[in-house]
Amino acid sequence: MTEGKRLVANIYYEKDADRSVIANRKVAIIGYGSQGHAHALNLKDSGIDVRIGLREGSSSREKATAAGLKVASIAEASAEADLIMILAPDTEQKAIYERDIAPGLDDGDALFFAHGFNIRFGRIVPPAGVDVVMVAPKGPGHLVRRTYEEGGGVPCLLAVEQDATGKAKQLGLAYADAIGGARAGVIETTFTEECETDLFGEQVVLCGGTTALVQAGFQTLVDAGYQPEIAYFECLHELKLIVDLMYEQGISGMRYSISDTAEYGDLTRGPRVINDAVKAEMRVILEEIRSGKFAEEWIAESEAGRPNFLALEAAGKEAQIEKVGEQLRAMMPWISAGKTRVQDASGGQG
């Protein structure tokens, strides 16, 4: 993709999708995790012939069967289907593809993904006669399922990497429509754009940047002698209020809704926190993503048994902010009232 080039997005809706394109396809969903259970159940409710491919001994088998879905081994489900959506973890997809999926692929089949990682970094190279398409809902699986049941949907990204049949885009639109995405809008992109921006957003803003900022703010107040409970409310709990305002009304709408004092602090102090040094580090992280350095690091970490990942994860769970938050959330049962844990709605990743 040309650096700095601005693309005007193509956005499609239900009227643009021809459901008949997928009506006679046999679909295999590989994995029954957060996304897998949502895709499979939405497809089933849309009248699509769908089955779940799970590894031997998967803890998800019972849940998928109880939901009325056909369940088979990954190899069996893939061989039977002519549209295969791979929803296993990024680091496991290459082995699953080579062992269980590739041997059963025929010309005219379609290989679908919900994230561009394995195609973008050359981990999976499908044969020339197979359509390669991405349909990526921009929301967690439980939301994909819930909004579908409510008559709505979660916006999806659509990308075609390989159009062997000449109908790959139409098939992708039909799939997005069948899981509810066309109700909200399907935005056309590329595997490269989706993968690079998704990794960047996760690392710099949505997950890495946000958690590091919250933890640093909390620790700054606690180290200065303020009560941890007060620091938790100011740096974590109230974040949802601000994010919800931005989600609903944009940054300007959020600023209109808060006090003048808060807005002045936002406008004058925010740039001191996210300063030129932080922005420079963002560019370094983006280059690590685009060059493949991050992908290589993550794959190597996984192949080594994830020692650093597990150590960092464990340390995070033991942080003071987690202990304080657990106690305070127990005082506010309305936060989780009426909500189904994603762990209860779906199984693991395969």
Side-chain angles (χ1 to χ4, degrees):
M1 193 174 73
T2 304
E3 187 172 355
K5 183 178 181 182
R6 186 179 186 276
L7 302 177
V8 178
N10 292 322
I11 305 178
Y12 303 98
Y13 296 93
E14 287 180 286
K15 63 181 177 58
D16 303 305
D18 180 2
R19 188 76 69 84
S20 68
V21 176
I22 197 174
N24 296 319
R25 304 293 290 247
K26 294 180 179 179
V27 178
I29 301 296
I30 309 304
Y32 198 70
S34 175
Q35 288 291 333
H37 93 282
H39 285 233
L41 293 173
N42 290 4
L43 288 168
K44 177 177 175 288
D45 289 351
S46 291
I48 307 303
D49 182 3
V50 62
R51 72 269 301 129
I52 304 296
L54 296 175
R55 57 180 168 75
E56 192 67 30
S58 171
S59 60
S60 301
R61 182 175 293 271
E62 187 176 336
K63 288 183 178 180
T65 302
L69 292 161
K70 299 183 231 176
V71 180
S73 70
I74 296 174
E76 290 169 342
S78 300
E80 185 178 276
D82 52 24
L83 190 165
I84 302 152
M85 168 60 93
I86 305 179
L87 293 172
D90 289 332
T91 52
E92 297 178 19
Q93 288 187 16
K94 176 180 170 65
I96 290 171
Y97 171 78
E98 292 177 347
R99 182 184 63 242
D100 298 319
I101 298 175
L105 285 176
D106 296 316
D107 286 353
D109 285 352
L111 197 60
F112 273 46
F113 298 83
H115 181 37
F117 189 93
N118 278 275
I119 295 296
R120 164 62 181 85
F121 296 113
R123 303 257 300 157
I124 293 175
V125 182
V130 171
D131 288 336
V132 181
V133 181
M134 177 171 59
V135 176
K138 297 310 293 177
H142 70 273
L143 192 61
V144 174
R145 180 58 180 160
R146 190 181 78 208
T147 55
Y148 177 92
E149 292 181 299
E150 293 170 349
V154 169
C156 290
L157 300 184
L158 169 69
V160 175
E161 182 74 9
Q162 188 165 282
D163 187 7
T165 65
K167 297 181 179 179
K169 182 174 176 179
Q170 295 94 313
L171 184 59
L173 271 174
Y175 183 101
D177 183 43
I179 64 171
R183 298 171 180 173
V186 180
I187 304 173
E188 193 168 10
T189 183
T190 66
F191 271 70
T192 294
E193 182 176 57
E194 183 278 336
C195 180
E196 294 176 357
T197 57
D198 187 70
L199 291 173
F200 180 82
E202 290 169 350
Q203 295 172 25
V204 171
V205 181
L206 305 176
C207 305
T210 299
T211 56
L213 185 64
V214 167
Q215 290 167 331
F218 172 86
Q219 202 60 51
T220 298
L221 288 177
V222 171
D223 289 348
Y226 297 99
Q227 297 179 72
E229 293 80 3
I230 301 300
Y232 178 88
F233 276 115
E234 293 299 336
C235 295
L236 190 153
H237 181 80
E238 292 188 27
L239 182 62
K240 183 181 186 304
L241 305 176
I242 300 303
V243 170
D244 283 351
L245 286 170
M246 289 196 291
Y247 179 83
E248 295 165 6
Q249 305 174 40
I251 293 174
S252 294
M254 177 275 290
R255 286 173 171 163
Y256 179 82
S257 299
I258 61 179
S259 71
D260 290 348
T261 304
E263 183 177 2
Y264 181 73
D266 168 357
L267 295 168
T268 61
R269 269 52 178 182
R272 288 169 56 180
V273 176
I274 309 301
N275 55 26
D276 288 343
V278 174
K279 293 173 186 176
E281 192 61 33
M282 288 181 178
R283 290 190 289 272
V284 171
I285 291 171
L286 178 57
E287 183 52 35
E288 289 175 352
I289 292 168
R290 296 173 73 172
S291 69
K293 181 178 179 180
F294 169 78
E296 292 173 3
E297 177 186 323
W298 174 223
I299 291 162
E301 172 73 13
S302 290
E303 291 176 346
R306 303 187 174 184
N308 188 47
F309 172 90
L310 294 172
L312 291 171
E313 184 181 51
K317 290 177 181 177
E318 293 302 314
Q320 184 182 14
I321 192 172
E322 290 297 291
K323 304 299 183 184
V324 172
E326 186 177 5
Q327 294 171 353
L328 292 176
R329 288 192 298 275
M331 297 165 53
M332 300 178 285
W334 61 86
I335 290 177
S336 57
K339 296 178 182 177
T340 301
R341 296 193 318 155
V342 66
Q343 298 94 326
D344 296 330
S346 61
Q349 293 290 354

